[in-house]
Amino acid sequence: EPIKVNAKKEALPIALDMAANMKFALYEGNISCANETRYVAFDDKGNLLWNEAIQMQSPNLKVAGRYVLINETGAKRISLYDGKKNLYTIQTESNIISADVSEYGDVVAVTEKAYYKGQVVVYNKAGDRIFAWDSGSYNILDADISPKRSVAISLLNTDEGADSFVT
């Protein structure tokens, strides 16, 4: 089903010549897209708004408010954008399992961690690491961050049966 992006919420078919292997997300009524080499955006008529060169291995694309997060899965790079403007690109200490962004530009990443069952790291919109937590006995499945910087972590332990919870 086509993405509905215009004010009337009508489905408009738009052919994108670079759509193969792209990740898509709505961004302020437009369509933002990312793949291994490009970060682009189109308006609701299919007009190109921007086309930026990037280098990402297996990119994921998340949008919250005016912030766009592009991160590598299974590698170490995170980039945060305010629309077209790159606010930062950083390398995490370990490979990224998942990542998300809040409406205020805070990024939460679940990463691998040697001798632990994962790590949760939070970066502010300037790219500063402001929080880190290592899990010793529970595998970290995912994490999310609220606009007020509350972090929720989904955990799973299979040592003796299955035990999971959100903290």
Side-chain angles (χ1 to χ4, degrees), residues 13-147:
I14 299 172
L16 303 176
D17 61 352
M18 58 182 79
N21 302 320
M22 282 277 186
K23 303 291 183 183
F24 297 89
L26 289 178
Y27 176 76
E28 296 186 343
N30 300 308
I31 302 170
S32 61
C33 317
N35 66 13
E36 289 84 358
T37 60
R38 308 304 306 166
Y39 167 50
V40 299
F42 297 92
D43 67 15
D44 62 355
K45 293 175 180 51
N47 299 313
L48 184 65
L49 299 174
W50 64 77
N51 185 351
E52 300 294 316
I54 63 171
Q55 287 291 98
M56 284 283 174
Q57 176 180 311
S58 301
N60 282 314
L61 176 68
K62 300 278 180 108
V63 173
R66 65 183 223 223
Y67 297 100
V68 178
L69 170 68
I70 305 174
N71 71 277
E72 296 178 317
T73 301
K76 300 179 180 181
R77 188 171 299 148
I78 292 175
S79 291
L80 184 67
Y81 293 83
D82 183 345
K84 176 182 175 179
K85 180 182 177 189
N86 182 291
L87 299 177
Y88 65 81
T89 297
I90 59 170
Q91 297 282 339
T92 58
E93 292 177 6
S94 300
N95 290 340
I96 300 164
I97 298 167
S98 66
D100 209 347
V101 61
S102 78
E103 295 173 12
Y104 292 102
D106 294 316
V107 172
V108 61
V110 176
T111 65
E112 298 171 356
K113 175 80 176 189
Y115 311 110
Y116 290 90
K117 292 191 175 184
Q119 181 179 59
V120 174
V121 183
V122 176
Y123 301 93
N124 65 15
K125 64 183 167 188
D128 301 321
R129 183 175 156 163
I130 59 172
F131 174 79
W133 179 78
D134 302 330
S135 178
S137 56
Y138 283 75
N139 293 303
I140 302 172
L141 300 177
D142 203 2
D144 200 3
I145 187 163
S146 75

